[in-house]
Amino acid sequence: MNPHGHDHARSPDAGDAMPSYYEIMETSVRELLVEKQLISAGEIRRMLEVMDSRTPALGSKLVARAWVDPEFRARLLANGRAACEELGISFFEDTQLIVLENTDKIHNLLVCTLCSCYPREILGLPPDWYKLKPYRVRAVKEPRAVLAEFGTVIPDDVEVRVNDSTAMVRYLVLPQRPPHTENFSEEQLASLVTRDAMIGVARATVP
Amino acid sequence: MTQTENLLQRLPTEMGGLDAGPIQRVEHEYAPWEKRCHALANVLDIHKIISTEEKRRGVESLGSEIDGALTYYERWIVAFANILFQKQLLTPGELAQKMDQVEARWSRDLQKERTERVRA
């Protein structure tokens, strides 16, 4: 335990309590790097704004567009990063994006066994369970059991493909468009695309 | 295969395929300092000061005891400090001094806020 005996990481609304040892370290490292002109305070502020703008809603928009526009879908599957950039989704890391399409025969699942690589540009920061050991170790060994724990049962005749992310290659799942949505607008379709569907632990919501 | 040979087969974070319990479906709202820590990581990566790979290795080299005791972003900031020391961009002395200053500054601000609240 740190000398202050409390932990902001676990209780972000500590209010008027002193920041934790690690929060003091974060501020100190950042301020020293700014003083040494290795980075600037403005860069951090702008990066925080960019990060706040990245939520699963961006991914939902991307998927809905791919569902209604076959040409966009083809471009998205051919080069994920370029297709995202068409929709104004910029990348701040030097990474490739591979979009994986779920079909009647293939179900894709994302994991990062080594650490926590995730398509942050499109989905924002990952949920804790994605970074914790049980998901990381079991997703590659018994994906069907893991999926079942999320309430997603994949029939035996559907192949499950587990995609292990790296610092250089990130993935995003293009879920299947749910049935009976022929008359849905693009916006209505986007509302069916959850974060978990784009990680592959769930299907798109059936309306 | 002997037990020690077995250990050589895997780095500490190379855990894919091991056994583990049920998925812990936990999520938390990221604290402001955690987001700042992440923004710092992205900016350091853009400036090629600390790459994503270096960050991961930095976290790995903290060892399993620290790994188990610290939260995700606590591990990150400690790893960043270590890497910056290794690259001689910061010294441990500088950081210790700065942390004392930051702590004193926040403590003063907190005291001031409390006093103002009592008056109000």
Side-chain angles (χ1 to χ4, degrees), chain A residues 87-130:
Chain A
L87 292 195
I89 304 172
S90 60
F91 280 65
F92 41 85
E93 287 180 298
D94 189 18
T95 50
Q96 214 193 118
L97 178 74
I98 297 176
V99 178
L100 305 153
E101 187 180 31
N102 282 350
T103 67
D104 289 337
K105 292 283 147 225
I106 298 165
H107 183 92
N108 285 285
L109 180 66
L110 310 187
V111 66
C112 176
T113 59
L114 281 183
C115 183
S116 51
C117 290
Y118 187 73
R120 294 165 205 273
E121 278 90 350
I122 303 150
L123 301 183
L125 298 177
D128 291 313
W129 56 258
Y130 184 86

Side-chain angles (χ1 to χ4, degrees), chain B residues 58-74:
Chain B
V59 169
E60 282 168 10
S61 65
L62 297 175
S64 57
E65 194 178 355
I66 292 182
D67 189 70
L70 270 54
T71 64
Y72 185 78
Y73 286 102
E74 289 172 352

Side-chain angles (χ1 to χ4, degrees), chain A residues 73-89:
Chain A
R73 183 175 139 273
R75 291 199 297 278
L76 184 66
L77 295 171
N79 183 339
R81 187 167 168 149
C84 284
E85 282 164 351
E86 268 182 52
L87 292 195
I89 304 172

Side-chain angles (χ1 to χ4, degrees), chain A residues 157-169:
Chain A
D157 64 341
V158 175
E159 180 188 344
V160 174
R161 289 189 185 165
V162 183
N163 304 275
D164 197 355
S165 317
T166 68
M168 300 308 290
V169 182

